[in-house]
Amino acid sequence: MSSSTSAPPRRSPADKHDARRNQLAESALKTLGEVGYARTSLREVAQNSEFSHGVVHYYFHDKLELILYSVRYYKAQCVTRYDGVVADSTSTEGLLDAFAAKLAETIREEAPMHRLWYDLRTQAMFEEPLREAVAVIDKTLEDMIWRVVSRYAELAGRAPVMASGPAYAVLDGLFQQSLLAHLSGSATALEELSVQVHALMPLLLTRD
Amino acid sequence: MSSSTSAPPRRSPADKHDARRNQLAESALKTLGEVGYARTSLREVAQNSEFSHGVVHYYFHDKLELILYSVRYYKAQCVTRYDGVVADSTSTEGLLDAFAAKLAETIREEAPMHRLWYDLRTQAMFEEPLREAVAVIDKTLEDMIWRVVSRYAELAGRAPVMASGPAYAVLDGLFQQSLLAHLSGSATALEELSVQVHALMPLLLTRD
DNA sequence: ACCTGTTCTTGACACCTGTCAAGACAAAAC
DNA sequence: GTTTTGTCTTGACAGGTGTCAAGAACAGGT
């Protein structure tokens, strides 16, 4: 053990260590997105990296620790996804178009990560150890969506008719169905999602 | 092989066979609801029955066949869950109360089966063989919800503002969040669901 | 009684899993 | 150069998995 932390060297103390952890996290995310939570094995994670299967246990105490670290690592980059939409929009129509387009885009380009998230959230219904982490991430997603809804209400000069929780829930319901349809080969799923979001959002505000 | 089908005896031809299949399906559902799709093993299914682990392969060709048979077996009984609500209601308020109460009741009493369904639907995002069966069941659930929404619109003298697909999606989003909260130990999740459903349903109809 | 076909149990197979320990390797410290 | 330290590989462990075959147990018909 060194002086303060239990980190390896002194020159690049925990940086190298964290860099490897992030590297393994990305390999894990690749595997998780491909085969899902249950079928993800540490050996396949290592095989998706340049290391051997033993190294995972050197950087992570547990399989659970690896997976939670990986998902947190990914979701930390996602929660700002719609912040540009919120910042750049100057009209309700503009925000709606940009938001719907972004939703469709992220399904098109990051479907494996999204299905992984739903997988993890569902597994949390069965495995207690997952629940706290899932709840935290779900809350950040709820806040992310709420920033969009709030800005939308502001631009419309009206007020939301429901709290952030149910607003997130209904939008997430649409998103999830669209993701499943898209992954099932539907060619029109993303367009339909855009139409549905355009129809739903005004309902979340009071009448003028 | 007997005369026409490949069924076992002649007296009770396929009845005994189907009875055993249903019996095993119920044992499978118990296991699936407890530990989820991925962690369900044929040996544990058998252990939840009065038979040994080999018998599963006698009545089902595959693990997949057992699981799909079991889930279909269960969902066949669920699709009429809200039909009484639809039939008995004579006012919008009455239908809303009965519907919301039924939603909360089924979470309270059949949470394991519901999380199993979400598990399966999510796994369908990863495993192609599940998709068709999941799509069929999801459609029957969508129709079930649509009967409620249609009746609600009828009683209100208005028309729904969205198609059955998105209507099911948004209600399912609320339901799923409520289920997760309930399983995570929230004592108020079910009451909140009732409030949210009461708030959402009117938004699904045109203004008077 | 015997025979026949169905039903169920037992045991095995090949494979995969998380975990971990023992040692190889390299790089830095002295 | 030698020692020490951190990094990584290899190989093994104990356990669990789906699948299936061989045979026991049981039924009913003759």
Side-chain angles (χ1 to χ4, degrees), chain B residues 8 20 43 51-53 55 58-59:
Chain B
R20 277 278 180 281
R43 281 171 172 83
F51 304 105
S52 67
H53 73 271
V55 85
Y58 180 75
Y59 286 100

Side-chain angles (χ1 to χ4, degrees), chain A residues 109-185:
Chain A
E109 299 183 358
E110 301 187 85
M113 288 299 104
H114 288 296
R115 69 181 175 184
L116 165 61
W117 162 243
Y118 287 118
D119 191 7
L120 220 69
R121 199 173 66 177
T122 304
Q123 291 312 307
M125 297 187 187
F126 294 93
E127 303 177 39
E128 200 276 334
L130 287 176
R131 279 176 201 160
E132 185 187 341
V134 161
V136 169
I137 295 177
D138 217 27
K139 185 67 169 69
T140 69
L141 297 176
E142 177 185 323
D143 294 342
M144 174 181 75
I145 292 300
W146 188 241
R147 289 196 294 275
V148 176
V149 174
S150 295
R151 177 62 177 155
Y152 177 66
E154 190 183 5
L155 288 171
R158 309 185 218 166
V161 294
M162 53 177 72
S164 66
Y168 167 60
V170 296
L171 280 164
D172 189 65
L174 288 181
F175 188 85
Q176 200 173 342
Q177 282 286 346
S178 182
L179 175 64
L180 177 56
H182 177 72
L183 287 167
S184 297

Side-chain angles (χ1 to χ4, degrees), chain B residues 1-193:
Chain B
M1 303 296 175
S2 65
S3 55
S4 56
T5 73
S6 63
R10 283 209 297 269
R11 214 40 188 272
S12 43
D15 297 352
K16 273 281 175 55
H17 213 256
D18 278 14
R20 277 278 180 281
R21 281 168 70 97
N22 292 345
Q23 197 175 350
L24 288 172
E26 284 174 22
S27 302
L29 287 171
K30 186 180 177 187
T31 309
L32 285 163
E34 283 173 3
V35 302
Y37 171 72
R39 294 176 133 78
T40 290
S41 72
L42 299 184
R43 281 171 172 83
E44 194 168 341
V45 169
Q47 215 157 6
N48 274 342
S49 78
E50 53 179 343
F51 304 105
S52 67
H53 73 271
V55 85
V56 180
H57 203 262
Y58 180 75
Y59 286 100
F60 295 92
H61 178 269
D62 235 8
K63 180 186 181 182
L64 186 67
E65 185 188 327
L66 166 67
I67 290 183
L68 288 183
Y69 182 90
S70 301
V71 174
R72 278 193 264 249
Y73 174 81
Y74 171 72
K75 281 295 172 184
Q77 310 164 348
C78 297
V79 291
T80 64
R81 177 173 287 139
Y82 305 103
D83 288 2
V85 170
V86 168
D88 298 346
S89 297
T90 55
S91 71
T92 56
E93 293 80 11
L95 184 142
L96 220 53
D97 290 345
F99 179 48
K102 203 76 178 175
L103 285 168
E105 177 195 313
T106 193
I107 286 185
R108 200 183 307 108
E109 298 182 0
E110 302 188 84
M113 287 299 104
H114 288 295
R115 68 181 176 184
L116 165 61
W117 162 242
Y118 287 117
D119 192 7
L120 220 68
R121 200 174 65 177
T122 304
Q123 290 312 307
M125 296 187 187
F126 293 93
E127 303 177 39
E128 200 278 333
L130 288 175
R131 280 179 201 157
E132 186 186 341
V134 162
V136 169
I137 295 176
D138 217 27
K139 185 66 169 70
T140 68
L141 297 175
E142 177 185 322
D143 294 342
M144 173 181 76
I145 292 300
W146 188 241
R147 288 195 294 274
V148 177
V149 174
S150 295
R151 176 64 176 153
Y152 177 66
E154 189 183 6
L155 287 171
R158 308 187 218 165
V161 294
M162 53 177 71
S164 67
Y168 167 60
V170 296
L171 279 165
D172 188 65
L174 287 181
F175 188 84
Q176 201 173 341
Q177 282 287 345
S178 183
L179 175 63
L180 177 56
H182 176 72
L183 287 167
S184 297
S186 165
T188 60
L190 300 187
E191 309 162 20
E192 288 167 17
L193 174 62

